[in-house]
Amino acid sequence: MHTVLLRLSAPMQSWGTTSQWEERATTVRPTKSGVIGIVANALGYQLDGDLSALVPLQFAVRADRPGRTAVDHQTAGGGHPAPATRIPSAYGA
């Protein structure tokens, strides 16, 4: 059996579990779907690619320093009027 070890270390991580409308739940440990997404991206899968080859992967988590959940009140646009929400590009538009 081949094994890949990923050390996921960052001050804030969000591992989504369920979402409904504006509410998005998270957990303190990585989810299989989140890790599969990271692996698929590293392997060059397209966003709408067929992930069936990755589904059978076995998954385990060891949390040396379990996280804690926090409430995040981010909003798209930050409450600015529509023209101010445009994201600048390399072309200045």
Side-chain angles (χ1 to χ4, degrees), residues 10-66:
M12 293 192 76
Q13 298 180 32
S14 179
W15 299 99
T17 54
T18 59
S19 61
Q20 185 175 15
W21 299 290
E22 301 289 320
E23 297 287 324
R24 304 208 185 284
T26 188
T27 183
V28 296
R29 291 180 177 81
T31 59
K32 182 177 181 181
S33 63
V35 174
I36 291 289
I38 293 170
V39 170
N41 184 271
L43 292 172
Y45 280 72
Q46 296 297 315
L47 186 59
D48 58 351
D50 178 18
L51 301 178
S52 60
L54 302 178
V55 172
L57 294 177
Q58 293 182 346
F59 177 80
V61 173
R62 185 181 96 185
D64 295 330
R65 293 174 42 190

